[in-house]
Amino acid sequence: TSATGLTTFNPRWIRVNTLKTTMEGSLSSLTFSEFQEVGGMSDMFFFDVVRKYYYQKAKLLSNILAIHPSHDITSSELYKSGKIVLQSASSCLPAIMLDPPKGSTVVDGCAAPGNKTTHLAALIGDGGRIFAVERDKRRADILEKMVTKAGAEKIVTILKATDFTTITDGHPAWQAGYLLLDPSCSGSGILQRIDWDISKLNLPSSDATSGQPSRSSRKRKRDEAPQKVFASTSEELDGQQVSEETKDENTSKERLQSLSDFQVAIILHAFSFPNAMRVTYSTCSIHAEENEHVVARVLNSEIAKERGWGVQSREDNPLSTWHRRGLVKELSSLNVGSEEQQRVAEGCVRVNRTDSLGGGFFVVCFIRQIDNEGRLG
Ligand code: SAM
């Protein structure tokens, strides 16, 4: 099949919650009893779960898998018991990028509803500690429920109705070494839920060899219950590449400016934590104003220079093999030479809405190259 269908198909992504189960435990459960794995893919994110009873593990991303979006996974025991979390692959990238060591202290500065908090908890395990900060009281209640459902209560301390920028000297969270920042953004990378017309995809002519339901039986099922898929536009279903740069989601310049001012303030506050050595910044936005421009602004700041904050090089970050990196042309305001601009761009990870990871996304990891004693990190 041409890439026509595959480039535009968006599976449902699942994160296995390793605080409660394992990948093997999930796959051997009743929920997955009819499924079989698609293997042999070379790219870490490439998937082929167009067929309904296939699943695929994300290569190089531990404990993350993709299934066909028409499955009602929310009614499964696995989901209800918190053993799996419905989280897009793109939303799993920040915790992987932050890569906090087991047992470390982490701050999730903008935490609700808690997808990334609970992912972090699974990564650092029982000996670690996470302060999950959420300014909005109602959203903090949802965060609390998610943390409990994930079995992460012992690891996570929720700071309800707390503004991240008010955490300063004297607060136990102030000593954290690792911070994950996923602040409010325009959400321009988020995919809309729409009806999916299966006839627009280049499906294989028969599923007979795989032992899966035939196309006609699949069609009958479809007629009974229309399938849904996450996709952003009808152009994507038709397989046309959507230009991420020209697609403006009517976010006004003023709105983007005020969002990016807020995002910069959040990062600069994180840079002032005395023991912080790594900070990730992420958005589900495709706008450079909230992504590369924010990176340039914080790197140009006095505090970044004083405290030795820079961007982790591509070769050092756990997502080095992902092909889509930051846009160097959007880093022209960064006060460094073109080679360093290129290095910074390569350090950033971008996901387009057409990449099938569950939405457009941006993530970067800042590292502190000089510690409190002036030693190189
Ligand atoms: N990281 C979350 C997840 O993966 O489930 C999603 C975070 S959402 C994009 C941003 C959150 O940050 C919102 O819940 C918002 O209320 C919260 N927020 C915004 N400004 C904040 C601040 N100054 N301090 C703490 N939380 C803040």
Side-chain angles (χ1 to χ4, degrees):
T1 68
S2 61
T4 310
L6 297 180
T7 51
T8 60
F9 177 79
N10 283 290
R12 188 182 275 292
W13 288 97
I14 292 171
R15 174 169 63 79
V16 174
N17 176 15
T18 54
L19 292 172
K20 290 203 162 178
T21 187
T22 57
M23 178 67 95
E24 290 65 38
S26 303
L27 294 175
S28 59
S29 72
L30 193 62
T31 311
F32 279 96
S33 57
E34 287 187 86
F35 282 72
Q36 72 179 63
E37 183 173 10
V38 191
M41 304 299 174
S42 55
D43 189 295
M44 73 168 161
F45 293 119
F46 188 80
F47 67 90
D48 182 12
V49 289
V50 175
R51 296 177 191 183
K52 191 164 174 186
Y53 289 91
Y54 280 5
Y55 71 85
Q56 182 166 16
K57 295 179 191 163
K59 290 251 160 69
L60 301 187
L61 296 185
S62 307
N63 299 307
I64 293 162
L65 67 143
I67 61 167
H68 194 284
S70 63
H71 287 284
D72 181 19
I73 200 84
T74 55
S75 59
S76 68
E77 186 276 332
L78 273 183
Y79 174 77
K80 287 182 184 161
S81 61
K83 289 179 183 154
I84 57 168
V85 176
L86 302 187
Q87 181 172 0
S88 71
S90 48
S91 155
C92 293
L93 302 181
I96 291 168
M97 192 95 153
L98 186 63
D99 193 21
K102 290 243 176 253
S104 51
T105 299
V106 183
V107 169
D108 183 346
C110 299
N115 290 302
K116 297 175 190 76
T117 309
T118 52
H119 190 193
L120 282 170
L123 294 179
I124 67 169
D126 278 340
R129 188 161 189 203
I130 299 170
F131 292 96
V133 192
E134 175 52 51
R135 185 172 63 178
D136 184 290
K137 163 85 178 66
R138 194 185 52 84
R139 289 176 65 89
D141 290 340
I142 298 169
L143 168 67
E144 190 169 37
K145 286 200 184 99
M146 184 161 190
V147 166
T148 306
K149 186 177 176 189
E153 317 90 302
K154 289 204 188 93
I155 305 169
V156 179
T157 303
I158 298 174
L159 304 177
K160 278 194 177 185
T162 303
D163 187 320
F164 169 68
T165 59
T166 65
I167 293 174
T168 51
D169 200 2
H171 196 292
W174 187 239
Q175 300 308 324
Y178 303 86
L179 291 98
L180 185 148
L181 305 174
D182 185 45
S184 313
C185 70
S186 64
S188 56
I190 295 173
L191 303 177
Q192 303 301 310
R193 199 173 170 88
I194 60 167
D195 284 327
W196 179 41
D197 182 351
I198 201 167
S199 66
K200 295 225 172 106
L201 289 175
N202 264 340
L203 282 171
S205 56
S206 164
D207 280 352
T209 50
S210 66
Q212 302 308 312
S214 71
R215 203 171 178 183
S216 56
S217 71
R218 230 184 15 232
K219 183 170 188 317
R220 268 199 309 281
K221 275 191 185 165
R222 190 175 74 245
D223 293 341
E224 286 154 24
Q227 300 197 27
K228 298 269 185 178
V229 69
F230 287 95
S232 61
T233 65
S234 55
E235 296 99 83
E236 286 187 18
L237 289 175
D238 285 334
Q240 293 166 20
Q241 281 296 328
V242 177
S243 163
E244 295 293 326
E245 286 155 78
T246 54
K247 258 196 151 305
D248 196 291
E249 300 294 307
N250 300 323
T251 315
S252 70
K253 276 209 166 0
E254 294 72 30
R255 167 109 176 105
L256 285 177
Q257 185 61 46
S258 92
L259 279 167
S260 88
D261 289 348
F262 153 76
Q263 292 152 350
V264 165
I266 294 278
I267 301 172
L268 293 183
H269 186 62
F271 281 0
S272 66
F273 277 55
N275 299 322
M277 290 305 283
R278 274 208 299 268
V279 171
T280 58
Y281 168 70
S282 52
T283 68
C284 52
S285 166
I286 54 171
H287 289 107
E289 288 86 340
E290 300 175 90
N291 299 330
E292 289 85 352
H293 296 191
V294 167
V295 172
R297 286 175 67 186
V298 300
L299 290 181
N300 284 340
S301 71
E302 280 310 310
I303 186 157
K305 288 179 198 142
E306 269 165 33
R307 300 179 71 87
W309 285 100
V311 162
Q312 184 184 44
S313 293
R314 176 174 183 169
E315 57 271 24
D316 296 331
N317 79 53
L319 302 172
S320 58
T321 56
W322 175 245
H323 63 288
R324 207 181 296 289
R325 314 305 296 191
L327 305 171
V328 70
K329 70 177 167 48
E330 300 291 353
L331 285 166
S332 55
S333 62
L334 182 58
N335 294 327
V336 293
S338 59
E339 229 171 81
E340 176 63 5
Q341 281 182 7
Q342 187 63 44
R343 192 194 67 79
V344 170
E346 289 283 315
C348 301
V349 169
R350 255 186 181 267
V351 177
N352 282 358
R353 291 177 301 189
T354 46
D355 287 333
S356 306
L357 299 196
F361 209 78
F362 179 89
V363 57
V364 60
C365 184
F366 297 103
I367 55 165
R368 201 169 161 208
Q369 289 140 335
I370 305 170
D371 70 12
N372 293 336
E373 275 73 52
R375 289 181 300 241
L376 281 177

